[in-house]
């Protein structure tokens, strides 16, 4: 059991011995040596890694080439140009060739704890080949775009891999988005076809995905774009009644009156086909399309926390190298691992760490259809015990939400199989980190706080479980090939400890995005115009005296109070240390004298209620923790916070609420719109 060591009042967590013993990288010195090589000689570093993969042909030009400075010409990044390969071939055929055919690729855990199944690499290969042939039979070919709007079921991975196998660019849209948001993404990418399922249960809610897709297709048609084909997986069990209008005669139509609340009505038209019908006719062999290293693999829209989502484009070879390598080292992948990433495949975390990264390592993963609170708040840990999960990866929003329900839901499950606990998506406040470490991990698991973006393809700042001494709240050090820097507003590098700046990267790594789909100019302006010669993340960060990087969140989430630059994340961390607070979101608010002040939204734990006294206590808490200048001017109760569908707090909306401005802007990526009204109603009278 490892206990924290005190480090000038902060906590240090050395690697856990049992993890270190088996780790690929088992000392900080080893990390440092490899890191040094990766940035001084990236070519040899990644060439060595490339040997693990199958290449149909070798690169024809430079191993890598780039321009990060728009004054010198267009921005571009290329790795292994001219080499040909296929990522699906590497994920399936290559693994089967090395004897992993009968290994389980995925366990599937349904929304209902009684629903489950699994698929081996052999079977996955067969399904993917068949579905590749389905897509080909529809005339879909290399370079075409296909939208995928599916629940967390095995067919989702089959669809993704089949696209990759034949060179179709997949654009996965999280199946929680509205028809309008889905339509926008289909239009932006001009998708020729869409793959969906009839419906899905999420917790107690039945969602009619097919209906949402139909609506989206109509919106597209009105705007001049025709989606040619729609493929529908029959996912709901036969007891969930499916009623088709204008039915094609091959689905069950049970009496509607039986269980009206569960009734799912789907419409059918000429462009629709059932997945299982199409599969029946297909060959289980499909020669992969040999792709150029720099051919597009997929596009994916960012979460939209800050504004209109960007269609981030990734290419084949670089993404393959990077997703597999980060997976291997950050989760210290071992052949007997049962690995579970709870992210939906509709987000980048699902692309890289549910699908491509694990599959290319031959790992056994879990695909979970449900939600953390169904049937109760212990579901995650029940699943961990059921499959004996060794590596677990989730988001701070889930950790904070589960904390709120108390420790019992966790401790009633064993969790003895766990070794590594990962987090991603937002800065994790130390309070949540410690709960994850102490309660979930029972002080015997490594916590890896991984910082990265849709744009970076994989982890860029992260601890390595066998090598890094961690500090709660810090993503620690750069991954191989990553050269971070902190810049001030003028673009000068910040070298002093503790000073916050813009987090940028100086040189490309294989997994970095190549463009914004159809809009290279937006790519250049968003990431490369602010500081010439650097990729700009848009996030703020600081380095402490030991060189640890602390990502503080989006740079526009900074407040300037009487000349003190503060990140709202720091204030949030102080607030959630209070026993009554489960979640906090802080934004800047105009102030006559100070210029800006802070306005705090707090969600309380079960059993606590909001009062004037509590508000005073919370203000004092921040004052004590950070300093008198940081004392918030306003604290308001927030029964819920506006979040993206991936669970991130949308502070730009909170800024509007804080000033009482009803023009909140684009809310298409918001998970629950009703919270906005509630928050307007709860504004303090003096705000
Ligand atoms: P948009 O770019 O459309 O506003 P988004 O940035 O939320 O949306 P993602 O690419 O899903 O879309 O998220 C990446 C962002 O998430 C990072 O830029 C950072 O702000 C935050 N983030 C992710 N992981 C961490 C982490 N471990 N620590 C701190 N912040 C993190
Ligand atoms: Mg972003």
């Amino acid at each position: 059991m490892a206990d924290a060591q005190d480090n000038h009042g902060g906590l240090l967590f050395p690697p856990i011995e049992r993890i270190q013993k088996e780790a690929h990288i088992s000392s900080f010195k080893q990390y440092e040596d490899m890191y040094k090589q990766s940035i001084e000689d990236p070519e040899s570093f990644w060439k060595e890694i490339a040997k693990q993969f199958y290449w149909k042909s070798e690169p024809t030009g430079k191993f890598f080439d780039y321009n990060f400075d728009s004054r010198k010409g267009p921005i571009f990044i290329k790795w292994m140009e001219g080499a040909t390969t296929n990522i699906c071939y590497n994920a399936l055929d290559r693994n089967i060739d090395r004897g992993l055919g009968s290994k389980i690729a995925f366990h599937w855990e349904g929304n209902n704890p009684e629903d489950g199944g699994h698929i081996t690499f052999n079977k996955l290969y067969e399904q993917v080949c068949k579905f590749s042939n389905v897509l080909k039979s529809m005339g879909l070919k290399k370079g075409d775009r296909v939208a995928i709007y599916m629940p967390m079921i095995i067919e989702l991975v089959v669809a993704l891999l089949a696209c990759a196998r034949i060179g179709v660019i997949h654009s996965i849209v999280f199946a929680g988005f509205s028809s309008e948001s889905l339509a926008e993404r289909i239009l932006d990418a001009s998708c020729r076809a869409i793959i969906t399922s009839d419906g899905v249960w999420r917790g107690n809610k039945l969602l009619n995905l097919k209906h949402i897709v139909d609506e989206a297709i109509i919106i597209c048609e009105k705007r001049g774009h025709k989606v040619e084909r729609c493929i529908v997986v029959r996912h709901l069990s036969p007891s969930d009644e499916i009623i088709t209008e204008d039915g094609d005669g091959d689905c069950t139509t049970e009496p509607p009156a039986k269980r009206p609340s569960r009734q799912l009505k789907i419409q059918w038209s000429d462009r629709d086909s059932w997945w299982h019908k199409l599969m029946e006719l297909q060959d289980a062999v499909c020669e992969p399309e040999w792709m150029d290293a720099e051919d597009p693999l997929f596009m994916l829209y960012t979460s939209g926390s800050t504004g209109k989502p960007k269609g981030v484009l990734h290419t084949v070879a670089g993404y393959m190298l990077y997703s597999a390598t980060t997976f291997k080292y950050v989760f210290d992948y071992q052949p007997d691992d049962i690995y579970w990433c709870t992210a939906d495949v509709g987000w980048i975390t699902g692309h890289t760490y549910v699908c491509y990264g694990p599959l290319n390592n031959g790992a056994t993963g879990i695909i979970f259809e449900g939600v953390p609170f169904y049937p109760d708040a212990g579901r995650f840990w029940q699943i961990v015990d059921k499959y004996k999960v060794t590596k677990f990866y989730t988001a701070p929003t889930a950790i904070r939400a589960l904390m709120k329900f108390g420790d019992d839901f966790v401790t009633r499950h064993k969790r003895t199989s766990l070794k590594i606990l990962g987090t991603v998506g937002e800065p994790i406040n130390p309070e949540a980190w410690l709960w994850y470490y102490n309660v979930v991990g029972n002080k015997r698991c490594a916590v890896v706080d991984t910082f990265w973006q849709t744009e970076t393809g994989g982890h860029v700042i992260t601890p390595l479980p066998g090598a890094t001494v961690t500090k709660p709240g810090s993503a620690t050090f750069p991954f191989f090939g990553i050269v971070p820097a902190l810049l001030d507003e003028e673009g000068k590098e910040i070298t002093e400890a503790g000073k916050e700046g813009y987090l940028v990267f100086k040189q490309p790594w294989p997994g970095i995005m190549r463009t914004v789909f159809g809009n290279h100019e937006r790519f250049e302006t968003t990431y490369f115009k602010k500081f010439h010669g650097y990729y700009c993340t848009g996030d703020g960060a600081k380095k402490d005296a030991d060189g640890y990087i602390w990502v503080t969140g989006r740079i526009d989430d900074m407040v300037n109070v009487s000349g003190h630059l503060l990140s709202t994340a720091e204030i949030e961390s102080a607030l959630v240390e209070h026993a009554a607070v489960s979640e906090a979101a802080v934004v800047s608010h105009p102030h006559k004298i100070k210029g800006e002040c802070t306005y705090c939204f707090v969600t309380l734990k079960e059993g606590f209620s909001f009062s004037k006294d509590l508000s005073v206590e919370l203000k004092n808490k921040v004052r004590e923790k950070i300093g008198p200048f940081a004392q918030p001017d306003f604290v308001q109760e927030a029964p819920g916070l506006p979040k993206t569908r991936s669970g991130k707090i949308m502070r730009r909306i909170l800024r509007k609420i804080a000033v009482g401005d009803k023009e909140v802007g684009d809310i298409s990526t918001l998970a629950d719109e009703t919270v906005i009204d509630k928050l307007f109603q709860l504004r303090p009278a003096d705000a």
Side-chain angles (χ1 to χ4, degrees):
M1 210 196 260
D3 271 319
Q5 293 164 6
D6 204 23
N7 162 246
H8 320 295
L11 296 176
L12 283 180
F13 291 82
I16 308 270
E17 220 180 280
R18 66 179 184 125
I19 291 168
Q20 197 165 29
K21 265 193 197 145
E22 67 174 14
H24 297 290
I25 299 174
S26 56
S27 72
F28 199 65
K29 171 80 175 52
Q30 192 187 349
Y31 157 73
E32 283 179 316
D33 292 346
M34 284 175 73
Y35 176 71
K36 192 159 176 276
Q37 194 219 345
S38 77
I39 61 167
E40 286 174 359
D41 188 3
E43 180 162 340
S44 342
F45 184 86
W46 292 105
K47 249 188 190 161
E48 192 55 36
I49 286 173
K51 287 184 190 156
Q52 298 160 23
F53 297 90
Y54 176 80
W55 304 92
K56 186 79 179 165
S57 66
E58 295 298 311
T60 48
K62 286 188 189 169
F63 192 80
F64 88 109
D65 196 11
Y66 74 104
N67 173 36
F68 265 17
D69 189 339
S70 58
R71 293 167 305 187
K72 295 182 184 156
I75 304 291
F76 73 92
I77 302 126
K78 289 175 179 167
W79 286 83
M80 302 184 70
E81 213 189 4
T84 51
T85 187
N86 184 288
I87 193 169
C88 170
Y89 181 91
N90 273 285
L92 301 178
D93 312 46
R94 182 179 58 95
N95 280 322
I96 292 167
D97 287 347
R98 60 187 186 114
L100 298 182
S102 55
K103 188 175 178 182
I104 291 176
F106 290 107
H107 291 284
W108 178 72
E109 170 82 11
N111 177 65
N112 182 329
E114 279 157 28
D115 293 344
H118 66 256
I119 190 163
T120 60
F121 277 88
N122 277 334
K123 188 80 188 160
L124 187 59
Y125 165 84
E126 184 193 302
Q127 295 288 306
V128 167
C129 284
K130 281 190 177 178
F131 197 64
S132 302
N133 289 327
V134 167
L135 296 175
K136 275 166 77 173
S137 74
M138 292 180 167
L140 292 159
K141 54 181 192 312
K142 181 174 169 183
D144 287 341
R145 274 83 55 205
V146 165
I148 298 179
Y149 184 79
M150 289 171 87
M152 286 288 280
I153 53 178
I154 284 173
E155 288 87 343
L156 170 53
V157 183
V158 173
L160 160 142
L161 289 170
C163 288
R165 193 165 187 90
I166 64 166
V168 160
I169 303 171
H170 56 76
S171 171
I172 304 187
V173 179
F174 169 59
F177 275 113
S178 64
S179 49
E180 178 64 41
S181 306
L182 173 60
E184 254 178 48
R185 286 162 177 75
I186 296 174
L187 284 166
D188 187 62
S190 309
C191 296
R192 287 185 60 191
I194 183 161
I195 308 163
T196 188
S197 82
D198 43 13
V200 63
W201 284 98
R202 211 166 269 151
N204 281 314
K205 266 205 292 207
L206 176 60
L207 305 179
N208 188 331
L209 299 184
K210 174 67 166 63
H211 181 65
I212 295 170
V213 167
D214 289 342
E215 282 184 342
I217 291 176
I218 293 168
I219 298 170
C220 291
E221 256 159 30
K222 283 191 186 141
R223 299 191 200 154
H225 174 74
K226 184 166 181 260
V227 177
E228 298 157 44
R229 303 297 296 257
C230 174
I231 303 172
V232 189
V233 174
R234 164 81 84 43
H235 168 54
L236 296 183
S237 64
S239 61
D240 294 310
E241 296 124 28
I242 303 168
I243 300 160
T244 60
E245 291 178 352
D246 324 307
D248 70 346
D250 68 352
C251 59
T252 48
T253 2
E254 290 178 37
K258 239 170 47 189
R259 273 185 314 172
S261 62
R262 290 196 158 203
Q263 208 180 92
L264 188 67
K265 208 176 224 178
I266 64 171
Q267 308 220 328
W268 210 254
S269 81
D270 291 346
R271 94 189 136 239
D272 300 324
S273 321
W274 285 115
W275 170 292
H276 60 278
K277 290 274 165 190
L278 296 167
M279 293 286 270
E280 274 170 14
L281 314 168
Q282 299 300 335
D283 225 10
V285 179
C286 174
E287 173 71 8
E289 178 80 34
W290 296 109
M291 306 282 285
D292 187 277
E294 281 300 332
D295 277 335
L297 171 63
F298 68 81
M299 51 184 300
L300 177 64
Y301 294 87
T302 55
S303 315
S305 310
T306 52
K308 190 178 177 312
K310 303 165 276 280
V312 167
L313 189 98
H314 284 285
T315 54
V316 176
Y319 177 81
M320 179 167 81
L321 295 182
Y322 203 70
S323 55
T325 309
T326 48
F327 174 78
K328 174 177 168 187
Y329 291 124
V330 175
F331 296 109
D332 190 49
Y333 172 65
Q334 303 292 339
D336 58 349
D337 272 334
I338 304 291
Y339 164 82
W340 181 23
C341 166
T342 68
D344 194 285
V345 173
W347 310 118
I348 189 67
T349 305
H351 281 59
T352 307
Y353 300 113
V354 174
C355 302
Y356 288 116
L359 285 172
N360 272 301
N361 281 276
T364 297
I366 293 177
I367 292 182
F368 175 45
E369 183 190 25
V371 294
F373 307 104
Y374 180 82
D376 66 38
R379 185 73 192 275
F380 274 3
W381 324 118
Q382 178 249 326
I383 296 173
V384 163
D385 282 358
K386 177 170 173 187
Y387 298 99
K388 307 222 168 3
V389 171
T390 52
K391 316 279 162 85
F392 177 77
Y393 195 26
T394 196
T397 179
I399 300 168
R400 288 192 299 258
L402 291 168
M403 262 172 92
K404 202 167 131 177
F405 287 87
D407 299 357
D408 284 357
F409 282 106
V410 186
T411 53
R412 68 170 70 138
H413 302 279
K414 286 204 199 83
R415 294 159 288 113
T416 44
S417 54
L418 287 172
K419 291 180 181 169
I420 293 169
L421 303 171
T423 152
V424 59
E426 286 181 288
I428 180 164
N429 44 296
E431 195 71 10
W433 194 105
L434 288 168
W435 185 80
Y436 203 25
Y437 181 87
N438 289 326
V439 180
V440 175
N442 225 350
K443 300 186 183 176
R444 39 193 303 286
C445 300
V447 170
V448 286
D449 173 5
T450 61
F451 168 83
W452 60 297
Q453 308 178 296
T454 308
E455 295 88 337
T456 66
H459 306 136
V460 284
I461 299 186
T462 175
L464 298 180
T468 315
V469 176
T470 49
K471 298 186 184 188
S474 167
T476 73
F477 301 103
F479 190 75
F480 304 130
I482 305 294
V483 188
L486 300 176
L487 303 183
D488 67 14
E489 198 61 54
E490 276 71 54
K492 263 194 38 221
E493 241 182 80
I494 297 170
T495 47
E496 64 195 281
K499 195 166 169 218
E500 194 142 357
Y502 289 85
L503 176 63
V504 299
F505 299 119
K506 290 185 183 174
Q507 63 189 48
W509 57 97
I512 186 177
M513 71 185 287
R514 304 300 196 256
T515 190
V516 168
F517 183 83
N519 196 345
H520 199 68
E521 196 184 324
R522 188 168 180 213
F523 172 62
E524 299 197 337
T525 17
T526 312
Y527 307 102
F528 294 94
K529 282 274 156 73
K530 186 157 177 81
F531 304 113
H532 294 290
Y534 299 93
Y535 165 84
C536 184
T537 60
D539 286 302
K542 58 189 177 186
K543 242 188 204 181
D544 68 16
D546 303 325
Y548 282 68
I549 297 169
W550 298 73
V551 179
T552 45
R554 291 184 179 69
I555 212 81
D556 50 325
D557 293 332
M558 304 281 287
V559 267
N560 193 335
V561 185
S562 316
H564 300 277
L565 202 58
L566 271 173
S567 77
T568 53
E570 256 175 281
I571 305 172
E572 289 161 11
S573 268
L575 290 167
V576 295
E577 277 180 20
H578 191 285
V581 178
S582 76
E583 189 153 42
V586 175
V587 294
S588 71
H589 186 271
H591 189 281
K592 280 202 190 88
I593 299 148
K594 302 185 211 172
E596 280 180 64
C597 66
T598 57
Y599 189 114
C600 311
F601 294 84
V602 292
T603 306
L604 302 183
K605 286 191 190 149
E606 302 280 294
F608 288 90
S609 55
F610 197 78
S611 67
K612 200 146 187 156
D613 287 350
L614 177 66
S615 160
V616 173
E617 257 180 60
L618 291 173
K619 288 179 186 176
N620 287 337
K621 176 99 201 166
V622 176
R623 188 189 173 93
E624 280 159 29
K625 184 89 202 199
I626 304 173
F629 67 94
Q631 179 173 314
D633 285 61
F634 304 101
V635 178
Q636 108 156 58
E637 184 189 3
L641 290 166
K643 290 186 179 174
T644 61
R645 288 180 166 83
S646 54
K648 298 182 199 208
I649 300 166
M650 287 168 93
R651 290 179 181 73
R652 69 179 162 84
I653 292 179
L654 292 174
R655 278 194 287 274
K656 296 279 190 175
I657 295 170
V659 294
D661 180 355
K662 299 254 173 177
E663 300 289 320
V664 294
D666 180 12
I667 51 167
S668 65
T669 56
L670 200 63
D672 172 15
E673 292 174 17
T674 62
V675 297
I676 297 182
D677 273 347
K678 285 184 209 143
L679 291 176
F680 271 116
Q681 281 160 21
L682 289 166
R683 287 179 73 233
D686 56 342

